């Protein structure tokens, strides 16, 4: 079917979407009026929409399609697994070859402390499982008072009923009775907003001091764990100074609280190495992953844990009693088969190495835009990056919300054939596929610059600039 033939069908889909489909993290009534951007196809780094427009995807879907679209070997792996064994429960001691191989592979490639893997359906469920396992762990070791969790301001840990309280973004709390009284935050290690952005050690020291102070305030005997993203993604791609993760790991150890690294975005080459933990030799007690695990081709995540945590839970339950956590689709064989092929592409397929090779073109392209009148900050690690738009480069002040800059950036970008994330607070997030070439980046930055120029051309935006 050509795209012009498809148009009437798209109009019908548009109406059905507005009437029936609830979209994640959307303003529902606004969506009914606005309608969806319906995607109909994808290849490489390109998306196609229902009107036949080609869009350069600078966000890998939702920071997940790390291997790019249209990887035929991944499709084959799913199809073969569906033909052979489309479903196998993990309950009642059943198992399947792809799930077993995937667990072993994840243990092989992840930090050495992590020896056991619980396979989930995505990031939120991985975080939720981690929280449940941590509660079970402290009860099992006879420290039932340890029920409080500490996370970072602006952190994102998904939107499960508990995990959304570890997420420190107000929109995930409002009307949901969160955070819980057991959920607490310490400030983000945000160099751009620090007193001296160049003094990385001061930023690290401030985070360590904040964690120590929060634990002292709550009482170490009451604190279960510290959760963090190595680079905060949905909070605006906040890149801490090198050494921050390691320092926080050591602080958590000294404070006798579990250290949980949420690598849902940063995992699988997004920041360069397979995991962001690897860059600093960090060995967490638990780690959550998803997104790049299957590159978004099918849903899957994982919660990895150390021997210490696993053994305490295993031996803490009454003899022979099950540990009551699981789901019908835990360790789904089709998702596991896809993950194994995606992991093969990262390693043998050279995708990880390509991502590392082109990261300098990505970083340079973002940094070059610092000269643009709208751009106050450029930050990045590997292929994860952001530009922060400000009304004054000297004061770093943002923009009046009435200007609706994020929606205008997103709409203009769409017209210019590029998709990225325009966060509510004027931060633009980028997470290109690890398969990007230098010339793909050339086109991406051409379109991004044109988008910034087009938005700046609006008289009200120009007038809002204070410098
Ligand atoms: C760090 C982090 N944790 C957890 C999640 C939740 O993952 P999911 O959307 O797959 O439930 C996300 C999603 O963006 C994330 O970025």
């Amino acid at each position: 079917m050509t795209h012009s033939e498809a148009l009437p069908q798209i109009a019908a889909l548009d109406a059905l979407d507005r009437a029936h489909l609830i979209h994640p993290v959307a303003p529902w009534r606004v969506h009914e009026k606005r309608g969806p951007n319906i995607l109909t196809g994808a290849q490489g780094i390109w998306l196609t929409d229902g009107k036949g427009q080609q869009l350069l995807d600078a966000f890998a879907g939702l920071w997940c399609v790390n291997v790019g679209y249209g990887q035929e070997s991944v499709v084959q792996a799913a199809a073969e697994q569906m033909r052979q064994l489309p479903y196998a429960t993990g309950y009642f001691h059943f198992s399947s070859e792809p799930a077993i191989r995937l667990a072993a592979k994840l243990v092989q490639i992840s930090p050495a402390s992590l020896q056991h893997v619980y396979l989930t359906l995505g990031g939120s469920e991985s975080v939720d499982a981690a929280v449940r396992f941590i509660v079970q762990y402290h009860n099992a070791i006879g420290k039932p008072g340890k029920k409080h969790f500490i996370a970072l301001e602006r952190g994102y840990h998904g939107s499960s009923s508990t995990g959304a309280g570890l997420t420190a973004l107000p929109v995930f709390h409002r009307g949901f009775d969160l955070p819980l009284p057991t959920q607490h935050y310490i400030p983000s290690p945000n160099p751009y907003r620090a007193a001296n952005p160049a003094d990385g050690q001061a930023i690290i020291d401030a985070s360590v001091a904040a964690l120590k102070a929060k634990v002292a305030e709550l009482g170490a005997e009451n604190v279960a764990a510290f959760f963090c993203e190595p680079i905060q993604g949905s909070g605006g791609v906040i890149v801490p100074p090198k050494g921050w993760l390691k320092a926080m790991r050591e602080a958590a150890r000294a404070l006798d609280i579990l250290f949980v690294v949420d690598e849902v975005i940063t995992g699988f080459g997004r920041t360069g190495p397979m995991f962001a933990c690897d860059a600093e030799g960090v060995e967490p007690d638990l780690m959550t992953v998803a997104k790049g695990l299957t590159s978004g081709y099918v849903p899957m995540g994982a919660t990895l844990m150390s021997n210490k945590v696993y053994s305490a839970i295993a031996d803490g339950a009454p003899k022979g009693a099950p540990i009551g956590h699981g789901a019908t689709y835990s360790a789904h064989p089709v998702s596991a088969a896809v993950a194994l092929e995606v992991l093969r592409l990262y390693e043998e397929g050279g995708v990880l190495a390509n991502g590392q090779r082109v990261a300098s073109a990505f970083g340079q392209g973002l940094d070059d835009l610092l000269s643009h009148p709208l751009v106050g900050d450029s930050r990045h690690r590997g292929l994860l990056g952001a530009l922060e738009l400000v009304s004054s480069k000297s004061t770093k002040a943002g923009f009046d919300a009435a200007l609706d800059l994020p929606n205008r950036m997103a709409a203009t970008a769409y017209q210019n054939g590029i998709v990225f994330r325009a966060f509510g607070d004027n931060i633009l997030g980028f997470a290109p596929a690890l398969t990007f070439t230098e010339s793909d980046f050339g086109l991406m930055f051409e379109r991004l610059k044109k988008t910034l120029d087009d938005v700046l051309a609006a008289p009200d935006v120009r007038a809002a600039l204070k410098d």
Side-chain angles (χ1 to χ4, degrees), residues 66 82 97 191 212 229 269 297-298 334 409 435 443 448 459:
N66 291 6
M82 279 196 184
E97 180 175 351
K212 283 185 182 161
E229 299 157 86
Y297 278 59
V298 290
V334 176
M409 283 298 308
T435 52
L443 192 56
L448 176 56

Side-chain angles (χ1 to χ4, degrees), residues 137-152:
Y137 166 78
H138 286 300
N139 287 336
I141 62 168
K143 295 186 177 173
K146 279 182 161 290
K147 289 292 180 306
H148 288 257
F149 289 78
I150 303 172
L152 289 175

Side-chain angles (χ1 to χ4, degrees), residues 64-430:
C64 55
V65 189
N66 291 6
V67 298
Y69 300 99
Q71 292 281 6
E72 192 50 35
S73 66
V74 179
V75 179
Q76 287 296 332
E80 275 162 31
Q81 188 58 45
M82 279 196 184
R83 247 177 244 118
Q84 175 149 356
L85 180 68
Y87 176 76
T89 181
Y91 281 62
F92 327 124
H93 309 287
F94 283 106
S95 201
S96 73
E97 180 175 351
I100 297 165
R101 292 201 185 284
L102 180 59
K105 181 74 190 167
L106 284 172
V107 167
Q108 182 213 322
I109 62 175
S110 64
S113 54
L114 303 168
Q115 292 293 317
H116 305 273
V117 181
Y118 174 73
L119 293 168
T120 71
L121 286 170
S124 296
E125 201 207 330
S126 300
V127 169
D128 200 57
V131 170
R132 297 200 79 212
F133 293 141
I134 290 167
V135 170
Q136 179 86 210
Y137 166 78
H138 286 300
N139 287 336
I141 62 168
K143 295 186 177 173
K146 279 182 161 290
K147 289 292 180 306
H148 288 257
F149 289 78
I150 303 172
L152 289 175
E153 287 170 7
R154 300 181 78 102
Y156 187 68
H157 300 289
S159 65
S160 71
S161 59
T162 318
L166 295 175
T167 290
L169 301 172
V171 88
F172 291 85
H173 297 167
R174 189 182 35 76
F176 289 111
D177 294 351
L178 289 172
L180 300 172
T182 49
Q183 296 174 323
H184 312 271
Y185 315 113
I186 60 170
S188 292
N190 184 352
Y192 183 54
R193 300 277 163 191
N196 180 1
D199 190 350
Q201 194 55 48
I203 296 167
I204 294 172
D205 292 347
S207 274
V208 168
L211 182 62
K212 283 185 182 161
K214 185 58 82 180
V215 171
E217 176 195 322
L218 297 166
E221 69 285 8
N222 298 319
V223 180
F226 174 64
F227 262 77
C228 67
E229 299 157 86
I231 290 174
Q232 296 184 267
S234 301
V237 189
I238 295 167
V239 186
K242 292 208 165 116
W244 178 87
L245 195 66
K246 182 97 182 153
M248 296 308 275
R249 200 290 161 259
E250 294 315 323
R253 198 193 308 280
L255 291 162
D256 187 30
I257 62 176
L258 293 176
F259 186 68
V260 189
V261 178
D262 186 344
E263 291 236 25
V264 166
I265 288 179
T266 54
F268 307 105
R270 173 54 59 203
T271 68
M274 186 60 91
F275 298 103
C277 278
D278 300 341
E280 299 184 11
V282 166
E283 298 197 14
D285 295 301
L286 293 103
M287 184 165 97
T288 48
V289 297
K291 294 192 188 275
L293 173 60
T294 52
S295 255
Y297 278 59
V298 290
M300 181 167 257
T303 308
L304 291 86
M305 65 177 78
S306 67
N307 253 331
K308 177 180 92 169
V309 174
Y310 173 87
S311 298
I313 295 175
D315 300 332
K319 223 176 174 52
I323 310 301
H325 186 78
T328 302
Y329 299 129
S330 307
H332 196 286
V334 176
S335 299
V338 165
L340 283 168
E341 177 54 20
V342 165
L343 292 175
R344 197 192 65 76
L345 287 176
Y346 289 137
E347 294 182 330
E348 291 163 41
V351 170
L352 208 74
N354 185 72
Q356 291 164 356
R357 198 177 55 76
V358 297
S360 56
F362 173 64
Q364 191 59 54
L366 289 175
D367 291 348
D368 287 348
L369 286 168
L370 276 170
S371 58
H372 194 278
L374 284 172
V375 177
D377 191 30
S378 155
R379 44 193 189 244
H380 44 84
R381 191 168 296 157
L383 291 182
L384 183 57
L387 296 177
E388 185 159 343
L389 309 185
V390 290
S391 61
S392 163
K393 295 195 192 220
S394 50
T395 67
K396 304 182 182 176
F399 289 91
D400 192 337
L403 206 58
D404 197 22
L405 202 57
N407 281 325
R408 289 166 71 173
M409 283 298 308
T412 309
Y414 201 101
Q415 279 164 17
N416 288 332
I418 177 169
V419 177
F420 50 79
R421 181 80 178 268
F423 291 105
D425 42 11
N426 307 306
I427 295 169
L428 310 180
F430 304 91

